[in-house]
Amino acid sequence: MFGYYLHLALRSFKRNKALTALMVLAIALGIGACMTTLTVFHVLSGDPIPGRSGNLYYVQLDPQSMRGYQPGEEPSAQLTRFDAEELLREHRGDQQALMTSGSVSVTPERAGLVPFLSDSRYASADFFPMFDVPFLYGNGWSAKEDAAHARVTVISKSLNQRLFNGANSVGKTLRLDQSDFTIVGVLDDWKPTPAFYDMNQDTFGDREDVFLPFSTSRDLQMTRGGSLDCWNDPHDDPTGLNAPCVWIQYWVQLDTPAKAQAYRDYLTNYSEQQRKAGRYERPTNIRLRKVMEWLTFNKVVPSDVVLQLWLGFGFLLVCLVNTVGLLLAKFLRRSGEIGVRRALGASRMDIFKQCLVEAGMIGLAGGIVGLGLSLLGLWAVRMQPASYAKLAHLDLGMLLTTFVLAVAASLLAGLLPAWSAMQVTPAIQLKSQ
């Protein structure tokens, strides 16, 4: 019967080409607007490290003074250097990494290249395995090299291409801030979106090109970036070991819920110890959030993207209302035909199914046209100056969603018209013929 319903739908389309075109256009416009905004939202709100995000936690402590204290408020978003190095030394997680952003001067040995500044990340050794960072050549440094303040570095694939024409540069020397570093690894393509590990930077922009041990960066007093918040006078060095300033991000990997609970208890005990020692003044206030919880807390998806998403669905709803009216007009105009079918033995449910198949066909055609409009809309998004704009691409999942949403929307729009059509009384229609 489904094939027969398709045949009837195609005949109906040919008889009412203008009305059919209007309905297809209405569905297509709604799907185009909705899928453009939904795709952008999907890209920006996705899991940046699937498979591992459930075991990675961001650590927050509250080392600030009582000045301006309000009970129940959120603790500092970053750690002091003392706390970060102490947690790293006590090593209570499966893996853990402290880090901060910075900027270094790169002096190329390659002829024709002049020195330039490059974004950098100062981190501890577990950064690479914990975040599942892929390597093209070599690997990251070890905890022993962290402790030895070794002058080693890992560079990005793009920087390796720029400096060494993409060749294996492991073991070569790279001059950073007037100091020589040995390259131990070259990253493969790696761009988690958003950059969850540091919410103090452009989370949708370019990633760092140079990675080196945090301990080495402090020895050489390399330029740091990102946010720094001090509650007392740090004197001449806000990044010193005992400076009353928070500026370091700290992540820990905990592979089971039991380990996560044990680590929360550990942070609570650590805070109590620091308060007894006189370093902390405020009551114990710790947070331990998973990756997706941390992104949600920081409202990583721009508010204008959320607004556009609601507007897209609103426009689709308007288009569906118009489609309902057009389908009602189309089906009721065929009351005589429906009455004849009923008189020849078709049940009300047969009429209902026939009308829904026709509505689904309109939705499918609208989805095809809407896909083209979505691609055009995403192209327009990529032309915008926002840092996330270049990420607006339709993946396979969203491609399938386009057609599923189009057909589902048209079927929903067809329910009322199909129900009205199935109420047609055959006797009255036959008498009027």
Side-chain angles (χ1 to χ4, degrees):
M1 290 298 291
F2 182 74
Y4 178 60
Y5 294 153
L6 287 178
H7 175 69
L8 292 178
L10 291 175
R11 288 182 58 187
S12 175
F13 294 162
K14 292 177 181 179
R15 288 199 305 267
N16 301 279
K17 294 179 181 179
L19 190 58
T20 300
L22 283 175
M23 290 187 289
V24 169
L25 181 61
I27 293 291
L29 289 174
I31 291 298
C34 185
M35 289 308 301
T36 298
T37 57
L38 183 60
T39 299
V40 174
F41 180 82
H42 168 72
V43 169
L44 302 188
S45 62
D47 188 342
I49 183 167
R52 298 181 68 88
S53 59
N55 296 331
L56 299 179
Y57 295 81
Y58 188 74
V59 176
Q60 291 174 266
L61 301 173
D62 198 354
Q64 297 194 44
S65 67
M66 291 299 292
R67 187 191 317 167
Y69 170 70
Q70 295 181 4
E73 67 180 341
E74 186 72 16
S76 300
Q78 300 182 100
L79 301 188
T80 64
R81 180 179 173 183
F82 180 93
D83 290 328
E85 293 190 2
E86 187 66 20
L87 296 184
L88 188 71
R89 184 163 40 251
E90 295 191 1
H91 202 283
R92 295 299 183 92
D94 293 299
Q95 294 187 101
Q96 50 271 305
L98 61 83
M99 68 199 73
T100 191
S101 61
S103 178
V104 294
S105 171
V106 179
T107 304
E109 294 184 358
R110 182 178 169 186
L113 291 180
V114 298
F116 57 89
L117 288 177
S118 182
D119 291 335
S120 58
R121 179 144 300 268
Y122 315 136
S124 54
D126 281 351
F127 177 91
F128 303 103
M130 189 166 69
F131 294 146
D132 202 19
V133 181
F135 279 85
L136 186 62
Y137 305 116
N139 45 48
W141 59 83
S142 66
K144 291 182 179 179
E145 289 168 306
D146 268 337
H149 299 217
R151 297 192 180 187
V152 293
T153 185
V154 170
I155 62 175
S156 68
K157 181 179 179 180
S158 59
L159 183 59
N160 187 66
Q161 181 66 41
R162 182 176 181 180
L163 297 178
F164 304 102
N165 283 327
N168 187 349
S169 59
V170 172
K172 294 185 178 181
T173 298
L174 180 62
R175 194 160 185 80
L176 304 173
D177 282 1
Q178 307 306 313
S179 297
D180 290 334
F181 283 75
T182 300
I183 299 174
V184 295
V186 177
L187 300 186
D188 205 343
D189 293 324
W190 183 68
K191 190 177 182 181
T193 302
F196 64 95
Y197 53 86
D198 187 353
M199 302 303 298
N200 299 290
Q201 60 178 346
D202 184 353
T203 52
F204 299 107
D206 295 330
R207 301 293 176 263
E208 302 90 350
D209 285 322
V210 177
F211 299 79
L212 49 91
F214 176 87
S215 55
T216 306
S217 74
R218 294 306 89 214
D219 286 348
L220 300 177
Q221 297 184 337
M222 290 178 158
T223 303
R224 58 158 302 279
S227 172
L228 183 145
D229 183 21
C230 300
W231 55 92
N232 287 322
D233 184 5
H235 303 294
D236 57 345
D237 185 10
T239 66
L241 182 61
N242 295 306
C245 305
V246 290
W247 56 286
I248 296 174
Q249 303 92 48
Y250 196 93
W251 286 88
V252 60
Q253 177 180 326
L254 304 164
D255 291 336
T256 66
K259 290 182 178 180
Q261 184 56 52
Y263 199 85
R264 286 189 179 91
D265 295 339
Y266 160 68
L267 291 178
T268 298
N269 293 333
Y270 176 84
S271 296
E272 291 290 342
Q273 292 171 4
Q274 297 304 313
R275 197 155 61 91
K276 290 178 181 178
R279 285 193 65 246
Y280 287 11
E281 298 180 13
R282 298 184 177 187
T284 297
N285 186 17
I286 64 108
R287 298 287 189 279
L288 193 63
R289 291 185 171 100
K290 296 180 181 180
V291 171
M292 298 308 293
E293 294 171 343
W294 182 235
L295 294 180
T296 300
F297 172 75
N298 282 279
K299 300 178 180 178
V300 69
V301 180
S303 58
D304 60 327
V305 172
V306 178
L307 176 60
Q308 290 167 11
L309 177 64
W310 285 111
L311 291 176
F313 275 105
F315 186 70
L316 176 60
L317 180 61
V318 172
C319 292
L320 288 183
V321 172
N322 288 331
T323 304
V324 170
L326 293 172
L327 283 172
L328 271 171
K330 182 179 178 66
F331 292 162
L332 294 181
R333 184 183 296 177
R334 293 158 49 195
S335 296
E337 175 190 329
I338 294 172
V340 171
R341 281 206 67 208
R342 289 290 314 281
L344 292 175
S347 67
R348 290 189 176 188
M349 185 54 64
D350 289 334
I351 301 300
F352 185 78
K353 291 177 181 178
Q354 175 190 339
C355 293
L356 281 188
V357 168
E358 189 169 331
M361 290 290 290
I362 292 171
L364 183 60
I368 295 173
V369 179
L371 175 61
L373 295 177
S374 298
L375 295 174
L376 182 62
L378 292 172
W379 173 83
V381 171
R382 291 194 295 273
M383 296 299 104
Q384 296 178 5
S387 61
Y388 62 79
K390 57 186 177 182
L391 302 172
H393 290 277
L394 201 70
D395 58 22
L396 179 59
M398 298 308 292
L399 177 65
L400 296 176
T401 301
T402 300
F403 292 104
V404 171
L405 183 60
V407 173
S410 62
L411 290 176
L412 182 63
L415 288 176
L416 177 60
W419 183 85
S420 299
M422 68 183 283
Q423 305 304 317
V424 171
T425 305
I428 296 176
Q429 298 301 322
L430 290 175
K431 184 178 180 179
S432 65
Q433 294 299 316

